[in-house]
Amino acid sequence: MRLFKLNTSVHKWLSLVVGLQLLIWLGTGLYFNLMDHSKASGNELRVHYHHEGNIADFIFTPIKDITSEAPQEVKLIWILHQPYYHFVFDKGQHSYQERRSKLFDAVTAKPFNLSEEQVLTLAKSSYSGEGKLTTPVLSQPPFSDHVRQQNPMWQVVVEDENNTTIYLDSITGQVLRHANDDFRLKDLMMKLHFMDYGNSGGSNHWLIIAFAFATLFLSVTGVTWLLQEYQNGFLRLSWGSNRKKVAVTFSNENTITDISAVGRSTVLEGLASSHVYLPSSCGGGGTCGKCVFLSSTKLPITLSEQEHLSDEQLKEGYRLGCQHRFSEISSIEVNTDLNIENHELVVVATNFITPFIKEVKFKVKSGKRLAFKAGAYMQFEVPAGMNSLRPDDMPENFEEYWESYSHGRFSHDGVTRHYSFVNFDEESDELTFNIRWQTAKDGFRAGIGSSYLGSLQVGETIAAKGPFSDFYATSNNKVRRIFIGAGSGLAPLRSIIFEQLKRHHFQGDMILIYGARTEDDLLYQNELNSLSEQHKNFSYIPTLSNPSEQWQGHSGYVQHVLLTHLVKGIEAFSTEFYLCGPEAMMNELESIIADVGIPSNQIFKDKFCR
């Protein structure tokens, strides 16, 4: 256990170090992509000037008559149109490495050293700006603007707005570099990107090697931790999304409720999916120790639980909700309240707006006006009883769609059903829902909730809980938003779109891609067309899978329409996607969107079948 704890500690610290450097790489990489390469080179105001003269105008002294010391190489160079021999007696492989050399006048054979006036003239001839050049200074290494340089250089500071400095070779007067603030910023980014914190001037240094080994150790400790978690029973491979029902006792209220959640979710997440919230300030990271529950099943003890819970608590069966899966438990006790508000809603209007979708409007009987985020939903309590297989108040223009469905009634037990608001809270004091009447045909049972709510008449009441908000627009106002829905899945999307435009006056681009079967199945067609005309940043794109010959819009499925937009180009980190519709459709859409590089935290889905 001690070795395992050491392994996890090393892994966490290595993760911190490697993670910080990864962030630096991302930041510097972004800079390199966005920077102005001309300015960053330092040569924005640099010009090339030729100082060569005419060889025919001079009589040169033979090289062998100049010095007795044998040079490695000799070059004829020109300085301000005068010829000189450059004798190099000792030099490294690269020009910046330490070198011993000397100049001789090619005509008189006398040794020659550059004067400050000559250096200033050379510097001026390489500079096209309007700044004032100061007196040259012969400087010794090291140089902050040229960390590799090991030889002395003339340094000429220019008084301009970008703080230009001109560096010249101390012997030949050759202009070696123009450095300015843009160059220095790029130099700093290079240093950060290549981890050159020791100013080696390159990428082949001990810190890069050490970081490579640190990354290797991070992988080794990660695999070791993974194997240890598997051996302790904390890691279990799970295929599919099987749900697990757990009996939850609320000690504050002395009540027991069955709660169902996906087996692979943590206890903290599984309870939250049914709006039972354990205290937590770390978001499920195992560092706060607040999400405590009492388990009737003996569970393994994690390191986080050893740190935050006493030995007595662990013996009694207390554990942390973020450390265990819902599939591991059968019954638990929690010390929290089941705070779900109950309301009695009265029907104020009901009307078929498509052949299979009925718009039902309610008001809270108590007169209370509910506050909720756009995209929220209510949980309706449908009592046991008898429902009709098909509606009794079908409009004549929709009768043809119901000819193949038989009349009759069926009995059912009491159930709960969830429906999303069509409107947002400040739009009206009415609560509007789209009830998609689930038909009984081809082995499918009639919808209990839809047939009950769809049969309610004006003045009748129903019990409901909520509102619940787990699907809503982010607070980021600098993004593009693409909404994709089908059928009655338009409800929460309409709510969010109207709230963003009417209440928040959202200025970013918004696109609604809405899919239906026929023209008659399009929800709020006129309203959405009008909205797109009023708001230039909102586009409405209806598409039909079975259109008539008169239809002039998009045909097919919303997935195909989305692909055409993705082909045009999407800014991955500034585009959000909001999806609502049949689960298969949303899964396919999510796969398509993820394939173009959209992060998962920018894809939001409303569970169509709550």
Side-chain angles (χ1 to χ4, degrees), residues 559-575:
Q559 296 93 311
H560 305 145
V561 178
L562 173 63
L563 281 171
T564 62
H565 281 271
L566 295 179
V567 168
K568 295 176 183 177
I570 291 291
E571 296 182 10
F573 294 97
S574 61
T575 304

Side-chain angles (χ1 to χ4, degrees), residues 344-348 361-366 429-431:
E344 188 174 8
L345 306 183
V346 58
V347 179
V348 295
K361 296 184 178 182
F362 300 89
K363 285 189 178 181
V364 181
K365 192 173 183 179
S366 65
D429 62 348
E430 297 174 340
L431 309 175

